[in-house]
Every structure is written in C-alpha cells, then in structure tokens.
Amino acid sequence: MSSLSQLEPRPVKSSSNTQDDIVYEHIFDAILEQRLAPGTKLSEEALGEIFGVSRTIIRRALLRLSHEQVVSIRPNRGAVVAAPSVEEARQIFAARRVVELAVIELAVKHATPEGLQRIRTMVQEEHDAFARGDRGKGIRLSGEFHLELAHMANNTPLLNFQRSVVSQTSLIIAQYEVGHQVHCSFNEHDALLKAIESGDPQQAVNMMTEHLNHIEGKLNLDNESASTDLHVVFSGVVKKKPGRSR
C-alpha cells in the first residue's frame, strides 16, 4: 500500500529517543514492511499531522532516511520513497552480498547462546506472521533477522551499512518481485542459524550465499518495472484507420 494513512499516528513520546528518532523509525518500518510503496510522495505537512510534530522534525527524519538511500529528496518537489532502477537494484544486491558474507562470518565468531535464542525467537515470530497472513510484519521480521545478525557480528559500521541495504532491498522486492512470494523463508533462516551454531564460518558463508541467490532469483530484473504512462504501455498498438466500428 502506498498511502501515508498506513502510518500509525502513535504518540511520539520517549525517555530515550527524540521525536525525529521516533518518526524516522515509523517511516523506516513502513518501508521495510512495504506499506509505503516506491515512489510514494512523503508530504511534510501530512506527516506532521499524522505524528503531531513540526515540519522541522519531519524534515530531519526524512533527511536521515535519504542518507540511507530509502528516501529521495528532490529540490523544490519534496521527498518520495526511493524507487531503485534495475541497474541500481543490481548494484544494491552486489553490495549486500559483500556485507552479508562479512556479517555472517563475524556472527559465527561472536555468537552467544543468548543472542542465538533471541534470533531464533524472531525467526519463529516471522514464521507465525506469514502463517496467519500478516505479510507486512513477516517481511519486517525477515529484514530484522538480517539486522540482528549484524548486531551479533559486533561491528557498528557493518550494522549501519546493513540497515541501509536491507531497507533498499525491501523497496526492490516491492518493485520487482514476481508474484507475492516470501523472499526470506523460515526454513532458510533456520538453516542459517544452525550454520552459525555449528561454529563453521565457511558453512555459514555458503548458506548465506545460497540464501541471497534465492532472494534475487525471485525478482524480475530483466526489464524495468511497469510504466504508469499509457503512451508507453500501449506504444506497440497499431492505430486503426477511422471507420465504422463493429
């Protein structure tokens, strides 16, 4: 869904986070859950009304999201949810492969029983969400699984980069996924956890490579996404000569 009305106007009160932190998290989650479609206009005025904050706070949150390349800020035209091109999608996946393989190798090294149990609980919640038809939550938990691995890797720069490429991947899936498939399956996440528990970094790397191949394999990156321009869509239609219709 692409409407800003899908953003829940939860109270922006927290003892530890600023208002723009909380607005940022809400918009980030909506993108990760694919409730905000690529190309959705992010009106500062509408968002300010939804969250009950000033446009200055909204602007700061959008600027932060633009740094992570999930929001595009256009001069004099405002902000929109990013819509990666096919070439950009391929580049993002190439970057994600690099960071994911580094993350999984470090996760094996720094894994703790507590950390593994926390991720296993998340994987079960992901499975339960898809099982009851809550696709949005399932997609978000699927992305958070990969972010939690980056936490386990104990490397802040990798975590920050992982956060950006995971959210960008969600946008790519929203644009280019063939049908409505579950791009990160419960079984594959469970297998990744077992590979980490084995303590064998090469096995974990191999599993992650296979997992990323499956995600990318479900996308149609052969052509650009469907056009909204009727002239483009029907450019191959041969016009009939004027005459009596049948």
Side-chain angles (χ1 to χ4, degrees):
M1 298 182 184
S2 60
S3 172
L4 291 181
S5 64
Q6 297 301 313
L7 292 168
E8 298 177 19
R10 303 174 194 172
V12 284
K13 295 179 181 179
S14 172
S15 58
S16 58
N17 294 330
T18 64
Q19 288 181 319
D20 45 299
D21 283 335
I22 296 170
V23 171
Y24 161 86
E25 289 292 344
H26 279 297
I27 299 175
F28 181 88
D29 283 350
I31 292 173
L32 203 62
E33 292 181 10
Q34 297 181 2
R35 289 183 286 120
L36 281 175
T40 301
K41 184 177 180 180
L42 299 169
S43 164
E44 291 179 5
E45 182 178 1
L47 289 168
E49 291 176 358
I50 289 169
F51 294 109
V53 298
S54 70
R55 292 179 68 169
T56 299
I57 290 173
I58 297 298
R59 200 170 293 125
R60 286 202 296 261
L62 293 177
L63 183 62
R64 184 174 168 189
L65 289 160
S66 75
H67 291 158
E68 295 187 3
Q69 299 180 50
V70 295
V71 165
S72 298
I73 297 179
R74 308 163 302 173
N76 304 318
R77 291 191 296 163
V80 297
V81 178
S85 67
V86 167
E87 181 55 33
E88 287 170 336
R90 291 193 177 110
Q91 291 178 8
I92 290 165
F93 263 96
R96 183 167 179 177
R97 286 179 184 280
V98 173
V99 69
E100 288 274 21
L101 298 187
V103 161
I104 196 77
E105 192 167 1
L106 286 172
V108 172
K109 180 179 179 181
H110 295 288
T112 63
E114 297 77 15
L116 288 167
Q117 183 54 49
R118 184 168 58 251
I119 299 177
R120 190 168 295 285
T121 299
M122 181 182 293
V123 170
Q124 185 59 52
E125 289 175 355
E126 173 198 350
H127 175 263
D128 293 344
F130 281 117
R132 65 174 178 268
D134 190 347
R135 178 177 164 80
K137 184 174 182 180
I139 290 172
R140 176 172 57 78
L141 288 168
S142 180
E144 288 181 357
F145 167 86
H146 291 271
L147 296 181
E148 196 61 39
L149 289 183
H151 276 289
M152 184 180 287
N154 197 30
N155 185 301
T156 300
L158 279 178
L159 171 60
N160 292 336
F161 188 56
Q162 177 82 314
R163 186 173 177 84
S164 176
V165 294
V166 165
S167 52
Q168 289 181 77
T169 299
S170 187
L171 291 175
I172 293 167
I173 289 167
Q175 280 185 267
Y176 300 110
E177 185 181 48
V178 179
H180 294 289
Q181 306 176 65
V182 179
H183 58 283
C184 284
S185 74
F186 166 78
N187 289 338
E188 290 181 8
H189 283 175
D190 189 55
L192 282 167
L193 273 177
K194 289 177 180 176
I196 294 172
E197 289 173 329
S198 75
D200 183 347
Q202 190 56 54
Q203 180 186 351
V205 165
N206 291 342
M207 285 297 306
M208 181 61 77
T209 299
E210 184 177 344
H211 181 49
L212 294 174
N213 287 342
H214 287 169
I215 297 174
E216 192 169 2
K218 294 175 182 178
L219 305 176
N220 178 15
L221 296 179
D222 294 328
N223 299 294
E224 290 284 353
S225 58
S227 175
T228 57
D229 186 331
L230 294 179
H231 294 285
V232 172
V233 173
F234 299 110
S235 60
V237 174
V238 178
K239 293 181 180 180
K240 292 183 178 180
K241 294 181 180 180
R244 202 166 45 175
S245 61
R246 296 181 179 179

